[in-house]
Amino acid sequence: MGAALDRFFTISQRGSTIGTEVRAGTVSFFAMAYIILLNPLIVGTVEDVTGHALGTTQVAAATALIAGLMSIIFGAIANYPFAFAAGLGVNSFVAVTLVSTEGLTWPEAMGLVVLDGIIIVLLAASGFRSAVFAAIPNSMRAAMGVGVGMFIAMLGFVDGGFVTRVPDAAGTTVPVGLGINGSIASLPTLIFVIGLIICSFMVIRNIPGGLFIGIVLTTIIAMILQAVYGTGSAAEETGGWGMAVPEIPNSLGGLPDLSIVGNVSLFGAFTHIGVVATTLLVFTLVLTNFFDAMGTMTALGNQAGLMDEDGNLPGMKKALVVEGFGAVAGGIGSTSSNTVFVDSSAGIGDGARTGLANITTGLLFLLAMFFTPLYEAVPIEAASPVLVIVGVMMTTQIVNIEWDKLYISIPAFLTIVVMPFTYSIANGIGVGFISFTLLSVFAGRARKLHWIMWLIAALFVLYFAMDPIMQLVN
């Protein structure tokens, strides 16, 4: 059995072991499990024009189901440790723009997500997505990887409560601050700091499974301190736990409610709000998914050392086709588009190199449908230190950027900083591509630009102008 797994997933060939893959896949799950709690809060509570909400319990179960299935499928077919889950940013777009603003029903909104996935699959199968990847200059690929690293580090700091948004009512020009009012003296943030110290020690000492051990140890410490001090959730008190409260669960769980799976109206939006408005919304979904996934896969591939000598991911076309089906599956499951999840970098940081790690993550997601209280015991503050450590690992790609050439370094810098500042991988890529194209013209290198770079820059100009265009249409 072990030999067969080794051959199928080329585990030894990639310098890994079965034990490492299983352990690292478990790390990815714990780093990503918060999506089962967060996605229901984003898409499960919003009522559509008919007054219908999907429901948090139903969305939680479906989120775990689709994430599990897509992680397993991608791991088995693409053989990469890039786990799947409902994409953050896209789920907010679906809930806020499609349902709340445009007035679509949930089945109509999820129908657009399915259409988005079908288009992505066709673009990948045609080879266009691979051609786009090949056209991106090496320095910009490196900048995308560094930007993603900065982005997930920012996620870690924010999820851990170490960095918080300063409310507009505070009357200050400072957008973010340290902890709460400049203090990190809350229990959850203390747990984050302790976890960061533990995880740093683990990776510095090269302890096998260090990041996983770090999550477990930090969770145990959190449970002990929670039992002593009894801190509530962030919804209950200032400085409370971000999501899950680290307490020993009273029950193991029960059967999941999957009643929202398959509740999709594929073409209802075209009748409801018109062909032009619907087409523009689909275009926005496609562009966001297209480059979010590409930027994430580039960063994760570099982090795992899986790129070939030309800086390309072997089997990229196949991987991108499977990734496109994540949006189709997410729409059918009513969870929003599923895509390669940047937090799976935690597993790569712990040694994941093959699809076996993905299958482990996927199986744990499927189990999570039945054992919700178990994963709810792990606070986000215990898992977020891993994101900061992995962010450090990913930013090492910064040495591959040609900083002495300003027409390259300026777009690279913009790509890196816009991702964390706007909480969007697609925004960073868009700003980077537009500026790279423009500055290449300034540098007298217009003829050396690949035509695909011109096309991408033009599409992103349209993407960033989508709001005024939608206003004109409406």
Side-chain angles (χ1 to χ4, degrees):
M1 180 66 175
L5 284 174
D6 195 351
R7 286 193 301 272
F8 182 82
F9 291 105
T10 62
I11 296 172
S12 298
Q13 184 178 329
R14 295 188 184 178
S16 186
T17 66
I18 293 176
T20 297
E21 295 299 305
V22 172
R23 184 195 67 226
T26 305
V27 169
S28 285
F29 169 75
F30 280 110
M32 297 170 58
Y34 70 88
I35 193 65
I36 310 176
L37 302 175
L38 181 58
N39 199 43
L41 298 179
I42 296 174
V43 303
T45 58
V46 176
E47 293 185 354
D48 62 19
V49 67
T50 67
H52 170 68
L54 295 175
T56 55
T57 302
Q58 294 85 343
V59 173
T63 297
L65 172 67
I66 302 302
L69 292 177
M70 283 307 307
S71 293
I72 291 171
I73 292 170
F74 188 83
I77 296 177
N79 194 24
Y80 288 122
F82 310 158
F84 276 60
L88 292 173
V90 176
N91 55 3
S92 297
F93 178 80
V94 171
V96 176
T97 301
L98 299 189
V99 176
S100 294
T101 304
E102 296 299 326
L104 296 180
T105 65
W106 277 111
E108 290 168 349
M110 291 304 171
L112 295 192
V113 175
V114 174
L115 290 176
D116 156 49
I118 293 172
I119 294 171
I120 291 290
V121 169
L122 293 175
L123 290 174
S126 69
F128 180 73
R129 287 188 87 182
S130 300
V132 170
F133 183 84
I136 301 172
N138 289 332
S139 286
M140 291 303 294
R141 292 187 197 178
M144 288 161 58
V146 175
V148 171
M150 295 289 287
F151 175 54
I152 66 170
M154 176 66 103
L155 286 176
F157 281 122
V158 172
D159 290 343
F162 197 84
V163 172
T164 54
R165 180 181 180 274
V166 178
D168 295 335
T172 175
T173 57
V174 179
V176 293
L178 180 69
I180 301 171
N181 298 322
S183 171
I184 55 172
S186 67
L187 177 57
T189 306
L190 173 63
I191 290 298
F192 167 78
V193 173
I194 291 173
L196 187 59
I197 294 171
I198 292 174
C199 290
S200 297
F201 172 81
M202 293 292 177
V203 295
I204 289 172
R205 303 296 297 182
N206 293 318
I207 296 175
L211 295 179
F212 175 67
I213 296 172
I215 293 175
V216 173
L217 290 178
T218 307
T219 299
I220 293 173
I221 295 171
M223 286 182 169
I224 294 172
L225 293 180
Q226 172 63 19
V228 174
Y229 294 102
T231 302
S233 68
E236 298 168 334
E237 61 182 79
T238 301
W241 298 99
M243 291 182 196
V245 177
E247 297 174 330
I248 298 175
N250 295 321
S251 64
L252 293 179
L255 292 176
D257 183 349
L258 299 173
S259 58
I260 62 174
V261 176
N263 190 15
V264 175
S265 174
L266 199 57
F267 299 107
F270 289 91
T271 302
H272 190 163
I273 62 173
V275 174
V276 175
T278 302
T279 301
L280 290 174
L281 292 173
V282 172
F283 168 78
T284 304
L285 278 171
V286 169
L287 205 63
T288 301
N289 269 349
F290 190 105
F291 287 101
D292 257 5
M294 183 166 292
T296 302
M297 289 176 70
T298 300
L300 296 180
N302 276 319
Q303 181 196 358
L306 298 174
M307 299 300 202
D308 61 22
E309 60 275 9
D310 297 320
N312 297 317
L313 192 66
M316 183 66 147
K317 180 178 178 179
K318 178 171 61 177
L320 290 172
V321 170
V322 179
E323 190 279 330
F325 278 105
V328 178
I332 293 174
S334 295
T335 67
S336 179
S337 175
N338 273 232
T339 186
V340 175
F341 215 65
V342 69
D343 300 64
S344 58
S345 58
I348 294 175
D350 206 49
R353 294 296 179 269
T354 75
L356 181 58
N358 241 42
I359 290 177
T360 302
T361 305
L363 290 174
L364 289 173
F365 266 118
L366 296 182
L367 284 173
M369 291 191 300
F370 302 91
F371 301 102
T372 301
L374 291 180
Y375 69 77
E376 285 183 344
V378 180
I380 189 64
E381 290 84 359
S384 53
V386 174
L387 300 182
V388 177
I389 298 298
V390 172
V392 174
M393 296 175 179
M394 296 178 72
T395 54
T396 58
Q397 302 171 51
I398 200 167
V399 298
N400 297 320
I401 299 173
E402 298 177 84
W403 292 105
D404 58 328
K405 299 177 180 178
L406 288 177
Y407 74 92
I408 292 176
S409 60
I410 294 176
F413 177 78
L414 292 174
T415 301
I416 292 169
V417 299
V418 169
M419 285 188 193
F421 287 169
T422 66
Y423 254 54
S424 170
I425 294 173
N427 284 350
I429 294 175
V431 171
F433 278 29
I434 292 173
S435 59
F436 182 85
T437 302
L438 183 62
L439 297 188
S440 292
V441 172
F442 292 168
R445 300 178 58 86
R447 293 184 178 180
K448 294 185 179 181
L449 278 174
H450 196 289
W451 67 269
I452 288 180
M453 293 296 292
W454 287 100
L455 175 62
I456 295 171
L459 289 175
F460 268 114
V461 169
L462 182 61
Y463 171 78
F464 288 128
M466 190 55 64
D467 278 349
I469 293 175
M470 288 296 296
Q471 291 174 10
L472 289 175
V473 171
N474 293 330

